[in-house]
Amino acid sequence: MSKFIFITGGVVSGIGKGICGASIGRLLKDRGLSVFMQKFDPYINVDPGTMSPYQHGEVFVTKDGAETDLDLGHYERFIDEELTQRSNVTTGRIYSEVIRKERRGDYGGSTVQVIPHITDRIKSYVYKAAEESKADIIITEIGGTVGDIESLPFIEAIRQIHAENKKEDVLFIHTTLVPKIPGSDELKTKPTQHSFKELMSQGIKTNIIVVRSEEKISEEIKNKISLFCDVPKRAIVQSENVNLIYEVPLKLHEQGLDEYILHKLCLSGQPVLKDDWKVMIENFKNVKDELEIGLVGKYVQLHDAYLSVSQALIDAGYSNGHKVNLHWINSEEITEQNCEEVLKDLDGIIVPGGFGGRGIEGMIATSKYAREKNIPYFGICLGMQIAIIDIARNLCGLEGADSTQKDPNPKYPVIDLMKNQIDVEDIGGTLRLGNYDCKLLENSKVKELYKEDIIKERHRHRYEFNNDFKEDLEKEGVIFSGINPELGLVEIIEYTKTDYFVACQFHPEFKSRPNKIHPLFNGFIKASICNKNK
Ligand code: GLN
């Protein structure tokens, strides 16, 4: 029997509900409970897969191929559990499922309505998550801000879940902002009071309030919130601003949040918090050396577009004793002429994923520069395709080599649409998504890093390396060190004539954890440190 925690947000968006939920997940897991997490997003897109990175930031991919909100990345990194299709549900998905059922005649002639049909469908995702994961605790974050029109059915659904279950099995946590008024230097609780009232008017009485604020909130502020929002003072905690997001669970723990949650859920008697997380943070904080890593992409104006990649780099840096200084470099501004100037001070270069043709030439120039100057290169997805185009053009003499995503009719289509993608019409949900096997080559760098024969990694792409050009590349020192056994599709390449040049078709960043760094991020960071000390 699972218990349910629902997290809502008040006042403004972007106050770190996701990190708050992930932190609570971490704390409960450390207390010996099993945890599953999910996020409900009230927008109409069926999933974020079709949204621009500028709109939505990174699309996080689960092992079973769901394209999801980037908060799931926080969840996985904090709680170290692989989430699933059940973990991200949007209004669009709920409605399309209900409408499909209606067309099939599943509703037996009744009028299909928001209540109960839409709310039932939403609830089914919570209950199914409990059934399938068998976790002790299901944590569900409701995206958006309380008071939004579009989140009403979700709020109603969680109200019903509260009504259907025992009091001690359902807990509501509300995150709010206590703003400071410019000039008067005063912290204001009124927006929190209003947001509490708004939730009350929708039938939900919050049990816990997590406050964000510019500065530390006083006892007086807590007293006020406690009085107006009818929660005991120990149920009000602050999620302080920290340098390392991984500190948030500890800060919440110091204020007794996990203790209080267990008490409310009648789960007292659980083992006390483990020390590992604390030790990890201490180690991260004591790091003295620095490392300069360039991230060359075309969505660099919005760092969230590369959230898991940047987090994995930073975490890998810390765990190897270095603070990573990330240089966000817009590939559209790179040319073969200015490469030297832009990239010369970097210890390592990463080219992450991306779509379309814009900014590609700058990435190709980057790959060439990294090869020629023996700077560690790490290509992910598009970054692997880029490396292949570079090597084909500049070493194999295949002038005019390109990806058919950029140029539909290149002289040498070294990157081409996957065969099973040719007839695909819809763009939503049709990429090659989620886990696929990859067999590693003996005596390769990646074999050394993974220490395994077959690995499983998550994917999100439509194009692949065209195997017709294998020999051309091999002659110039490329090895194909990871192959998908079913399709023969190239998953990893290495260029062997420099110290470190590894690129993969999959997205390793989704599987890296602060306390369990992904082998490819480890390998790249270690190589960059070597390069720096050379
Ligand atoms: N655009 C490329 C493809 O579809 C790479 C995708 C990616 O980097 N995620 O194959």
Side-chain angles (χ1 to χ4, degrees), residues 6 48 95-96 138 238 290 318 342 390 415-416 438 488 495:
F6 295 104
Y95 269 81
S96 61
I138 308 294
Q238 178 167 14
E290 299 190 20
Y318 278 133
V342 184
D390 157 39
I415 304 296
D416 204 2
C438 166
Y495 178 63

Side-chain angles (χ1 to χ4, degrees), residues 84 97 173 194 304 345 372 381 429 450 462 473 482 534:
T84 66
E97 289 170 359
I173 299 180
H194 278 288
D304 269 2
D345 295 326
E372 289 175 348
C381 206
Y450 276 97
R462 240 182 259 287
L473 273 83
K534 226 170 25 197

Side-chain angles (χ1 to χ4, degrees), residues 353-356 380-382 385 405 431 460-463 505 507:
F355 291 84
I380 294 179
C381 206
L382 178 64
Q385 302 177 354
Q405 184 170 36
L431 291 143
R460 183 169 186 253
H461 67 115
R462 240 182 259 287
Y463 291 78
Q505 185 57 73
H507 290 271

Side-chain angles (χ1 to χ4, degrees), residues 209-377:
I209 295 183
V210 178
V211 172
R212 285 298 299 278
S213 192
E214 230 177 280
E215 50 185 69
K216 207 162 171 120
I217 57 166
S218 61
E219 288 303 301
E220 197 192 330
I221 295 275
K222 276 195 185 177
N223 286 337
K224 223 169 172 178
I225 296 174
S226 168
L227 180 66
F228 282 96
C229 302
D230 196 26
V231 285
K233 235 169 107 183
R234 62 183 285 224
I236 303 165
V237 295
Q238 178 167 14
S239 177
E240 287 167 50
N241 307 329
V242 287
N243 289 331
L244 272 174
I245 53 169
Y246 302 121
E247 279 184 87
V248 176
L250 295 184
K251 297 283 177 193
L252 295 175
H253 170 67
E254 281 162 18
Q255 299 167 76
L257 180 62
D258 45 327
E259 199 64 52
Y260 188 69
I261 291 174
L262 294 179
H263 158 73
K264 289 298 282 181
L265 294 175
C266 293
L267 285 171
S268 313
Q270 293 298 324
V272 290
L273 205 61
K274 291 201 195 103
D275 262 345
D276 313 24
W277 199 260
K278 227 190 227 162
V279 171
M280 175 187 87
I281 289 167
E282 280 314 309
N283 289 341
F284 281 14
K285 279 185 160 171
N286 285 331
V287 153
K288 302 247 158 22
D289 293 319
E290 299 190 20
L291 196 63
E292 311 303 319
I293 299 293
L295 187 153
V296 179
K298 61 181 172 183
Y299 317 116
V300 288
Q301 297 89 332
L302 184 74
H303 296 182
D304 269 2
Y306 303 104
L307 187 67
S308 292
V309 171
S310 56
Q311 201 60 57
L313 287 170
I314 290 167
D315 297 348
Y318 278 133
S319 84
N320 282 289
H322 285 68
K323 178 176 177 292
V324 167
N325 297 320
L326 263 184
H327 300 258
W328 301 86
I329 301 166
N330 186 349
S331 63
E332 286 181 277
E333 288 163 12
I334 298 186
T335 59
E336 281 205 31
Q337 290 70 43
N338 71 6
C339 240
E340 170 83 31
E341 198 186 314
V342 184
L343 306 173
K344 67 176 188 308
D345 295 326
L346 299 171
D347 302 317
I349 296 174
I350 185 163
V351 178
F355 291 84
R358 187 169 56 83
I360 297 292
E361 292 302 326
M363 296 178 201
I364 296 170
T366 301
S367 162
K368 177 168 185 265
Y369 181 82
R371 260 190 318 99
E372 289 175 348
K373 302 288 170 182
N374 194 13
I375 301 174
Y377 177 92

